[in-house]
Amino acid sequence: MRPTQFVAPLPLASATSRLQPQQAAWLQEVTTVFLQCRQYAKAQPLLRLLIRLAPDDPAPLRQMAYLCYQLGRYELALKYCKACEKRLQGVSEARLSLLRSHCHLKLGQREPALTHYLQFLATRTPS
């Protein structure tokens, strides 16, 4: 059974609204639990809130990319990966490279999938 992809929109927040670090950390932990339990419809509004109210934090974008991947929305997942990398200021992250590789594979794009997988391998430390 596929999870629902519709979530009611959140009320608009003021552009100056920001979360306190403790609030953001708590919401991030709750969201992580929802994602781990595959409760995507519950995680999605929290992620949207975190993205809006913690604009400097790349973690909600990374989690939204993962959520989109799980829902089969691979192109949208790639867009969130790209937005996350912008917040990371171009720093390559292993999890994003692997997620991008999987998205490209699902879209039948073998070359970019291989490129991102090789980036993922390059960030791994040898055992």
Side-chain angles (χ1 to χ4, degrees):
M1 186 159 125
R2 272 202 111 160
T4 180
Q5 293 186 19
F6 174 77
V7 176
L10 294 171
L12 292 176
S14 144
T16 59
S17 296
R18 297 261 183 171
L19 291 175
Q20 295 298 317
Q22 307 91 325
Q23 294 170 313
W26 183 82
L27 281 174
Q28 192 71 44
E29 288 179 28
V30 170
T31 302
T32 298
V33 170
F34 284 147
L35 288 172
Q36 289 172 341
C37 295
R38 297 183 180 145
Q39 297 291 314
Y40 304 130
K42 292 179 182 176
Q44 191 173 37
L46 295 179
L47 286 171
R48 288 178 192 235
L49 181 66
L50 281 165
I51 289 168
R52 190 172 333 144
L53 299 180
D56 300 328
D57 188 1
L61 290 169
R62 182 186 317 106
Q63 288 186 310
M64 186 64 94
Y66 173 78
L67 184 142
C68 291
Y69 174 81
Q70 292 294 7
L71 294 176
R73 306 211 40 216
Y74 308 119
E75 290 178 7
L76 188 57
L78 288 169
K79 288 179 183 179
Y80 278 108
C81 285
K82 190 172 189 173
C84 183
E85 284 180 343
K86 283 183 183 177
R87 287 198 184 162
L88 290 168
Q89 298 176 349
V91 174
S92 182
E93 186 179 86
R95 289 178 285 184
L96 284 177
S97 295
L98 187 58
L99 183 58
R100 289 177 109 176
S101 176
H102 285 282
C103 288
H104 284 296
L105 274 177
K106 293 288 188 175
L107 292 168
Q109 302 166 348
R110 295 180 62 107
E111 284 299 316
L114 179 60
T115 299
H116 289 292
Y117 188 71
L118 292 174
Q119 288 174 350
F120 165 73
L121 290 178
T123 61
R124 309 298 293 168
T125 56
S127 306

